[in-house]
Amino acid sequence: MTAITDIAAVGTWVRDARAIAVLSGAGMSAESGVPTFRDAQTGLWAKFRPEELATEAAFRADPRRVWDWYASRREMMKDVHPNAGHHAIAAFQQRHPGRLTLITQNVDGLHQAAGSVGTLALHGNLFEDIWLDPCMGAPGHGGVCDVSRALPGRPPTCADCSNALRPGVVWFGEMLPAVALAAAEDAAQACDLMLVVGTSGAVYPAAGLAHTARQSGARVVVINPEPTELDSVAHALVRATAAVAMPALLGG
Ligand code: NAD
């Protein structure tokens, strides 16, 4: 049984740690006003499960519907800013260069906006568009579709072939970016303390990094106001929100 711990006790582990890995999830951004995946399903979108929208098959079946869902998520995030938790992580990295590796499942760019360096974004970036398919080789095309010449639409399409733009996020069933995942696995193996914050621990392979850290001998701390699927992996549970716990642990 993992103990529910007060923040001060975990603070001593932070001070002693040589290498810290932070694994963050959607709850990290909740106090910035970004809804978690489940909470984002409101209004028009309430009748869909994220698994019915965030897949390549869903996009191919109904590109406009999936494009519009992401457009609504981009719109929701337009006026959103990093919170005290994002800032505490970035400030710690600046005070202690090379001591904290940040691994995030978030696609909202808030860690990067707070100034975190070398963020390993395992699930991509909501604000980047990428092509759905390889270039279809229209004459004069030069072998690569040109984003700057994309025709406006829902979704925008290539001016020369029928390729479509899609959001640069990792969909259910897709591979994670190999370089970021390998770096995250290295960090999970090398750290002596992993802080798992704001994730339900339900999405793999990201959640597997907490198991890797534990098996490699690190202390694992889950920071979340609610129970998670990684609680049994943790040495300590901090039942607090990200914007309260991260400044308390890492310094404000
Ligand atoms: P999730 O929605 O499954 O779980 C969110 C977790 O955050 C829950 O355990 C919840 O108890 C916790 N939480 C809520 N408020 C919190 C707070 N203030 N402080 C700390 N924890 C809090 O999210 P997940 O585990 O990240 O996995 C779902 C997937 O959704 C990921 O793949 C991620 O890419 C994607 N996603 C990302 C964003 C984003 O970029 N902000 C938003 C929604 C979904």
Side-chain angles (χ1 to χ4, degrees), residues 24-31 34-38 40 73 77 105-109 123 172 197-203 223-228 240-243:
S24 72
M28 181 81 226
S29 298
E31 286 147 295
V34 181
T36 62
F37 230 167
R38 311 291 143 191
R73 293 184 64 200
M77 289 187 204
Q105 300 166 82
N106 293 347
V107 296
D108 56 29
H123 293 166
F172 289 103
V197 53
T199 176
S200 58
V203 177
I223 299 150
N224 198 307
E226 304 289 334
T228 80
T241 68

Side-chain angles (χ1 to χ4, degrees), residues 38 40-50 52-53 64-73 76 154:
R38 311 291 143 191
Q41 297 313 93
T42 54
L44 270 183
W45 301 106
K47 58 180 183 287
F48 299 104
R49 291 183 302 126
E52 289 169 325
L53 295 163
R64 175 173 293 199
R65 176 197 287 163
V66 174
W67 182 265
D68 286 354
W69 182 57
Y70 280 99
S72 80
R73 293 184 64 200
M76 272 189 236
R154 296 160 45 207

Side-chain angles (χ1 to χ4, degrees), residues 132-207:
L132 178 62
D133 289 304
C135 167
M136 293 169 206
H141 202 77
V144 185
C145 303
D146 180 354
V147 177
S148 68
R149 293 183 59 236
L151 302 173
R154 296 160 45 207
T157 49
C158 174
D160 301 315
C161 71
S162 57
N163 210 352
L165 281 174
R166 54 159 279 189
V169 298
V170 177
W171 280 332
F172 289 103
E174 290 186 323
M175 305 286 282
L176 272 55
V179 172
L181 181 59
E185 279 166 351
D186 287 348
Q189 275 169 22
C191 69
D192 48 6
L193 176 65
M194 176 177 275
L195 305 177
V196 180
V197 53
T199 176
S200 58
V203 177
Y204 282 75

